[in-house]
Coordinates of all heavy atoms in Angstrom, one line a residue:
H17 N 114.0 155.2 -138.0 CA 114.1 153.8 -138.5 C 113.0 153.4 -139.6 O 113.1 152.3 -140.1 CB 113.9 152.8 -137.4 CG 114.9 152.9 -136.3 ND1 114.8 152.2 -135.1 CD2 116.0 153.6 -136.2 CE1 115.8 152.5 -134.3 NE2 116.6 153.4 -135.0
A18 N 112.1 154.3 -139.8 CA 110.8 153.9 -140.5 C 110.5 154.5 -141.8 O 109.4 154.5 -142.3 CB 109.7 154.2 -139.5
F19 N 111.6 154.9 -142.6 CA 111.3 155.4 -143.9 C 110.9 154.3 -144.8 O 111.7 153.4 -145.1 CB 112.6 156.1 -144.5 CG 112.5 156.7 -145.8 CD1 111.7 157.9 -145.9 CD2 113.1 156.2 -146.9 CE1 111.5 158.5 -147.2 CE2 112.9 156.8 -148.2 CZ 112.2 158.0 -148.3
G20 N 109.7 154.3 -145.3 CA 109.1 153.3 -146.1 C 108.1 152.4 -145.4 O 107.5 151.5 -146.0
A21 N 108.0 152.6 -144.1 CA 107.0 151.8 -143.3 C 105.6 152.3 -143.7 O 105.4 153.5 -144.1 CB 107.2 151.9 -141.9
K22 N 104.6 151.4 -143.5 CA 103.2 151.9 -143.7 C 102.2 151.2 -142.8 O 102.6 150.1 -142.2 CB 102.8 151.6 -145.2 CG 102.9 150.2 -145.7 CD 102.5 150.2 -147.2 CE 102.7 148.8 -147.8 NZ 102.4 148.8 -149.2
K23 N 101.1 151.8 -142.6 CA 100.1 151.2 -141.6 C 98.7 151.4 -142.2 O 98.4 152.5 -142.8 CB 100.3 151.9 -140.3 CG 99.5 151.2 -139.1 CD 100.1 151.5 -137.8 CE 99.4 150.7 -136.7 NZ 100.1 150.9 -135.4
K24 N 97.8 150.5 -141.9 CA 96.4 150.6 -142.3 C 95.7 151.4 -141.2 O 95.6 151.0 -140.1 CB 95.8 149.3 -142.5 CG 94.5 149.3 -143.2 CD 94.0 147.9 -143.6 CE 94.7 147.3 -144.8 NZ 94.1 146.0 -145.2
L25 N 95.2 152.6 -141.6 CA 94.4 153.5 -140.7 C 93.1 153.8 -141.4 O 93.0 154.3 -142.5 CB 95.2 154.8 -140.5 CG 96.6 154.6 -139.8 CD1 97.4 155.9 -139.9 CD2 96.5 154.1 -138.4
G26 N 92.0 153.5 -140.6 CA 90.7 153.7 -141.2 C 90.4 152.9 -142.5 O 89.7 153.3 -143.4
G27 N 91.1 151.7 -142.5 CA 90.9 150.8 -143.7 C 91.8 151.2 -144.9 O 91.7 150.6 -146.0
E28 N 92.6 152.2 -144.8 CA 93.4 152.7 -145.9 C 94.9 152.7 -145.5 O 95.3 153.1 -144.4 CB 93.0 154.1 -146.3 CG 93.8 154.7 -147.4 CD 93.3 156.1 -147.7 OE1 92.3 156.6 -147.2 OE2 94.0 156.8 -148.5
W29 N 95.8 152.2 -146.4 CA 97.2 152.2 -146.1 C 97.8 153.6 -146.1 O 97.5 154.4 -147.1 CB 98.0 151.3 -147.1 CG 97.8 149.9 -146.9 CD1 96.9 149.0 -147.5 CD2 98.4 149.1 -145.9 NE1 97.0 147.8 -147.1 CE2 98.0 147.7 -146.0 CE3 99.4 149.3 -144.9 CZ2 98.4 146.7 -145.2 CZ3 99.8 148.3 -144.1 CH2 99.3 147.0 -144.3
K30 N 98.5 154.0 -145.1 CA 99.2 155.3 -145.0 C 100.7 155.1 -144.9 O 101.1 154.3 -144.1 CB 98.7 156.1 -143.8 CG 97.2 156.5 -143.9 CD 97.0 157.7 -144.8 CE 95.5 158.2 -144.7 NZ 95.3 159.3 -145.6
M31 N 101.4 155.9 -145.6 CA 102.9 155.8 -145.5 C 103.4 156.6 -144.3 O 102.8 157.7 -144.0 CB 103.5 156.4 -146.8 CG 103.3 155.6 -148.0 SD 104.1 153.9 -147.9 CE 105.8 154.3 -147.8
C32 N 104.4 156.1 -143.6 CA 105.1 156.8 -142.6 C 105.6 158.1 -143.2 O 106.1 158.1 -144.3 CB 106.3 156.0 -142.1 SG 107.1 156.8 -140.7
G33 N 105.4 159.2 -142.6 CA 105.7 160.5 -143.1 C 104.4 161.3 -143.4 O 104.5 162.6 -143.4
S34 N 103.3 160.6 -143.5 CA 102.0 161.3 -143.8 C 101.0 161.0 -142.7 O 99.8 161.3 -142.8 CB 101.4 160.8 -145.1 OG 101.1 159.4 -145.1
I35 N 101.5 160.4 -141.5 CA 100.6 160.0 -140.4 C 100.7 161.0 -139.3 O 99.7 161.6 -138.9 CB 100.9 158.6 -140.0 CG1 100.7 157.6 -141.1 CG2 100.1 158.2 -138.7 CD1 101.2 156.2 -140.8
A36 N 101.9 161.3 -138.8 CA 102.0 162.2 -137.7 C 101.9 163.6 -138.3 O 102.0 163.8 -139.5 CB 103.4 162.0 -137.0
D37 N 101.8 164.6 -137.4 CA 101.8 166.0 -137.9 C 103.1 166.4 -138.5 O 103.1 167.0 -139.6 CB 101.6 167.0 -136.7 CG 100.2 166.8 -136.0 OD1 99.2 166.7 -136.8 OD2 100.1 166.8 -134.8
F38 N 104.2 166.0 -137.9 CA 105.5 166.1 -138.5 C 106.3 164.8 -138.3 O 106.0 164.1 -137.3 CB 106.3 167.3 -137.8 CG 105.8 168.6 -138.0 CD1 104.7 169.1 -137.2 CD2 106.3 169.4 -139.1 CE1 104.2 170.4 -137.5 CE2 105.8 170.7 -139.3 CZ 104.7 171.2 -138.5
T39 N 107.2 164.5 -139.2 CA 107.9 163.3 -139.1 C 109.4 163.5 -139.5 O 109.7 164.3 -140.4 CB 107.4 162.2 -140.1 OG1 106.0 162.0 -139.8 CG2 108.1 160.9 -140.0
S40 N 110.3 162.9 -138.7 CA 111.7 163.0 -139.0 C 112.3 161.7 -139.3 O 112.0 160.7 -138.7 CB 112.5 163.7 -137.9 OG 112.4 162.9 -136.7
F41 N 113.1 161.6 -140.4 CA 113.7 160.3 -140.9 C 115.2 160.5 -140.8 O 115.8 161.6 -140.9 CB 113.4 160.1 -142.3 CG 111.9 159.8 -142.6 CD1 111.2 160.8 -143.3 CD2 111.3 158.7 -142.2 CE1 109.8 160.6 -143.6 CE2 109.9 158.5 -142.5 CZ 109.2 159.4 -143.2
S42 N 115.9 159.4 -140.6 CA 117.4 159.3 -140.6 C 117.9 158.6 -141.8 O 117.4 157.5 -142.2 CB 117.9 158.7 -139.3 OG 119.3 158.5 -139.4
F43 N 119.0 159.2 -142.4 CA 119.7 158.5 -143.5 C 121.1 158.3 -143.1 O 122.0 158.4 -144.0 CB 119.6 159.4 -144.8 CG 118.2 159.7 -145.3 CD1 117.8 160.9 -145.8 CD2 117.2 158.7 -145.2 CE1 116.5 161.1 -146.2 CE2 115.9 158.9 -145.6 CZ 115.6 160.2 -146.1
H44 N 121.4 158.1 -141.8 CA 122.7 157.8 -141.3 C 123.3 156.5 -142.0 O 122.5 155.8 -142.6 CB 122.6 157.6 -139.8 CG 123.9 157.3 -139.1 ND1 124.2 156.0 -138.8 CD2 124.9 158.0 -138.7 CE1 125.4 155.9 -138.3 NE2 125.9 157.2 -138.2
A45 N 124.5 156.3 -141.8 CA 125.2 155.2 -142.5 C 124.7 153.9 -142.3 O 124.7 153.0 -143.1 CB 126.7 155.3 -142.2
V46 N 124.1 153.7 -141.1 CA 123.5 152.3 -140.8 C 122.1 152.2 -141.1 O 121.5 151.1 -140.9 CB 123.7 152.0 -139.2 CG1 125.2 152.1 -138.8 CG2 122.9 152.9 -138.4

């Protein structure tokens, strides 16, 4: 659900996809 989400970590914004060791995204129709 989170392609394009971001979070402030250690005072710096990080994009979802660069936070966990590995990340999977869905591009399903919904």
Side-chain angles (χ1 to χ4, degrees):
H17 299 173
F19 185 69
K22 56 185 177 181
K23 190 160 188 171
K24 193 173 283 188
L25 300 169
E28 182 181 349
W29 286 100
K30 295 280 188 181
M31 292 296 295
C32 186
S34 66
I35 298 172
D37 295 316
F38 293 87
T39 302
S40 60
F41 298 110
S42 174
F43 302 141
H44 177 263
V46 302

